[in-house]
Amino acid sequence: MKKHISVFLMLSLFAMNTIAQKNAVKLGTITFGGTNYGVQYERSISSHFSLVVQYGVAVTLNWSQTILFGDGFYAEGRYYFTTDKDLLEGWHLGVNFNYINTTIEDDFEKNYLERFGFGPVAGYQWVFARHITLDALFGWGWMDTSTNLPEYHKGFFPLIGINLGYNF
């Protein structure tokens, strides 16, 4: 876990130094074959494009009501359609990549679920009071699954997310 956080911070700092535009730091949730509750960083790379990364705690719930916890990583490239709004505001369309790795151990067995997915995503980001952001997104995508639990499978899943943050 410490290695994942270190890599995330190093990539974020590298992005901050190489591209001088606008940033947003958000807290939120992405649900796509499991739920990622985490910290999201968005960086504009031009007047219409931005990159988004999120690292957080992944949670999945199976049919027998067993909750699995682990790491979640989400990345997205976005294109903003609006030209009359500020950077990182308005309708956006993009491609996302998602990774979830969850496990639970009890006295009898160790259950695991590892998923990797990608697909299209769309949404709208509002900016209130010049710095507060609200980002809502939806989409779908293909999710590949590796698990020892019979109720999980690979296939197409919906993506829903909402994030609240600070724009600077």
Side-chain angles (χ1 to χ4, degrees), residues 54-94:
Q54 177 171 327
Y55 181 76
V57 175
V59 179
T60 56
L61 177 67
N62 67 9
W63 296 112
S64 62
Q65 303 300 314
T66 304
I67 300 174
L68 291 86
F69 293 97
D71 297 324
F73 179 76
Y74 176 84
E76 179 186 344
R78 286 185 179 174
Y79 175 79
Y80 282 91
F81 291 101
T82 54
T83 57
D84 60 339
K85 297 188 181 289
D86 200 7
L87 289 174
L88 305 181
E89 184 176 10
W91 287 103
H92 56 80
L93 183 66

Side-chain angles (χ1 to χ4, degrees), residues 85-162:
K85 297 188 181 289
D86 200 7
L87 289 174
L88 305 181
E89 184 176 10
W91 287 103
H92 56 80
L93 183 66
V95 176
N96 73 77
F97 299 93
N98 189 38
Y99 175 75
I100 292 176
N101 185 9
T102 57
T103 59
I104 188 169
E105 288 187 54
D106 58 22
D107 294 337
F108 305 107
E109 63 185 335
K110 178 179 180 179
N111 294 319
Y112 67 93
L113 175 65
E114 184 177 23
R115 287 186 156 171
F116 174 77
F118 62 94
V121 64
Y124 194 89
Q125 182 158 270
W126 294 268
V127 177
F128 304 102
R130 297 183 57 182
H131 293 290
I132 306 300
T133 65
L134 178 63
D135 184 19
L137 47 124
F138 55 91
W140 59 273
W142 176 259
M143 188 70 74
D144 192 28
T145 301
S146 172
T147 185
N148 65 340
L149 300 168
E151 62 265 23
Y152 288 101
H153 60 280
K154 60 184 173 183
F156 288 96
F157 290 89
L159 180 143
I160 300 170
I162 189 151

